[in-house]
Amino acid sequence: MEIRTLRYFVAVAEELHFGRAAARLHMTQPPLSRAIKWLETDLGCVLLHRSPTGVALTPAGTSLYDEARTLLAQADQARARVAAAAGTATLTVGTLADSAEQAGTRLAAAYQQHHPGVRVRIREADFTDPSAGLRAGLVDVALTRAAFDDTGIATRVLRSDPVGVVLRADDPLADRDSLRLDDLADRRWFQLPDGTDPVWRAYWTGPLDDGRRHDGPVVRTVHECVQSVLWNGTVGLTTLAHTLPEGLTTVPLTDMPPSHLVIAWNSANPSPLIHSLVRIATAGYRHERTL
């Protein structure tokens, strides 16, 4: 068995769909299917039950998935140790807003356990750059929220969170169980700065903009958003997972798609340290979803 083939298999096992796994691996589906078929032939057993809607792991596939994850983690650690032996290994992680906190302390602890000799630097970005410094080459990997222009950037969704509107607690709509965007059409919404990633802008403000610019204040950080609502009575979007200060509340929006917490990296030849962080983060969130 080759390491590359095991990576292919793990991707299919986690996505449970050849198309999604191929997109995740930045390859087309036919060679991925051939690689998995070759692996099954090599092992002499069926690893996946195929169906028109996706795939399911057989008992043999489940066993291989656990073994493959262990082998790939060991391979990543070996590469990282070699890199560390060549000099002081450093990984710069970009974060946006509360993405580092949302990723959780367990990710940091798990990565430190796997790579105790690696020095991790954190760089926080504002809303003008949802890639958190990745596109500008300022960081190696980013914990952020989609959607943004991901040209040349690979992403892995860690978690999907429902979205709501932030209101003052004394707002007439604050006691509603849910709202629709149309319910807020006449409200003042905070705006994003000129030059903000257009895909990001379209997600967070596009659904609310019918061609007219909302006359709310320009904000660059989560803190500025919160203060804008408190002081000016403006409204804006946030995830329901975000903790708000006293005096504010979030009402779910039924017609707003969820926000995806993602880990992102340059798709051109990621380093072993990046590869390892992606794997640890993905495995950690997959474990949480099965609890």
Side-chain angles (χ1 to χ4, degrees), residues 32-54:
L32 176 60
S33 298
R34 288 195 296 270
I36 300 303
K37 192 64 179 177
W38 177 89
L39 181 62
E40 290 178 320
T41 301
D42 182 48
L43 293 174
C45 60
V46 176
L47 301 172
L48 302 166
H49 288 308
R50 282 91 165 159
S51 74
T53 58

Side-chain angles (χ1 to χ4, degrees), residues 56-70:
L57 290 170
T58 66
T62 300
S63 177
L64 179 61
Y65 173 69
D66 293 335
E67 295 289 346
R69 279 185 54 195
T70 300

